[in-house]
Amino acid sequence: MHLILFIVFAGLCLAGAMNLLLQTHPINSALSLVVVMTSLAVLYLLLGAEFLAIAQIIVYAGAIMVLFTFVVMLLNAGREERTLGSRAGKMIGFPAVAVFLGVIATVILKAQNLGSVALSDPITSTEDLSRVLFHELLLPFEVTSVLILVAILGAVALARAGSGERRVSK
């Protein structure tokens, strides 16, 4: 059953990612990103990481996507025009991706004991994780929230500055 669920949600995640890239309207791309993030949350559940799954839904599929959608609507982005891309990008990009995938494949194939877990490894509880997040890492946690607030205010300022129509006198 786990294998079937994994295949379904991994396929849904890949389909959402491809749809994200192929959409011309930014709102449709944002909705495709919600599908990807929700599928990842289900994959986390299948791995037994309930805290990460809930955090994925609340933080990414919820808060971050609301922020993305807010910025896209505030900037009033319309349809994007399609281009064929640059010739230099294709000549350099495709070989670079092939080399990158080759390096990753080599590292994975050469790795010893990749993904092996012993039964004696300690299991971190949600209480331990929250203690680390809200005691030891409280400052970076709060700095991140301030940065997100600054990003929202910047988007509002940019949208406000561009919303007024300037009249050209002849």
Side-chain angles (χ1 to χ4, degrees), residues 17-41:
M18 290 303 297
N19 192 31
L20 170 87
L21 296 174
L22 297 175
Q23 285 294 326
T24 57
H25 201 275
I27 295 295
N28 293 339
S29 292
L31 292 175
S32 295
L33 194 55
V34 169
V35 170
V36 171
M37 290 180 182
T38 307
S39 299
L40 284 175

Side-chain angles (χ1 to χ4, degrees), residues 11-158:
L12 192 61
C13 187
L14 290 174
M18 290 303 297
N19 192 31
L20 170 87
L21 296 174
L22 297 175
Q23 285 294 326
T24 57
H25 201 275
I27 295 295
N28 293 339
S29 292
L31 292 175
S32 295
L33 194 55
V34 169
V35 170
V36 171
M37 290 180 182
T38 307
S39 299
L40 284 175
V42 173
L43 292 177
Y44 285 143
L45 275 176
L46 290 174
L47 290 172
E50 294 86 8
F51 179 78
L52 284 178
I54 296 302
Q56 178 80 14
I57 294 290
I58 292 171
V59 174
Y60 291 108
I64 300 297
M65 286 313 303
V66 166
L67 178 67
F68 282 180
T69 308
F70 179 70
V71 170
V72 166
M73 291 178 140
L74 209 56
L75 294 177
N76 200 14
R79 296 183 71 86
E80 296 177 4
E81 68 177 57
R82 291 286 182 181
T83 62
L84 297 176
S86 68
R87 190 173 198 192
K90 289 179 183 175
M91 292 177 64
I92 295 172
F94 288 126
V97 167
V99 168
F100 180 71
L101 291 176
V103 168
I104 289 178
T106 304
V107 168
I108 289 174
L109 291 175
K110 299 276 183 180
Q112 298 294 327
N113 297 326
L114 185 66
S116 63
V117 176
L119 290 177
S120 63
D121 288 347
I123 297 175
T124 304
S125 68
T126 306
E127 181 183 352
D128 296 334
L129 184 60
S130 64
R131 186 176 299 115
V132 169
L133 273 178
F134 296 119
H135 287 259
E136 298 171 20
L137 298 175
L138 183 63
L139 181 64
F141 193 79
E142 292 299 324
V143 167
T144 303
S145 65
V146 169
L147 285 175
I148 291 174
L149 178 64
V150 168
I152 291 173
L153 293 175
V156 169
L158 284 174

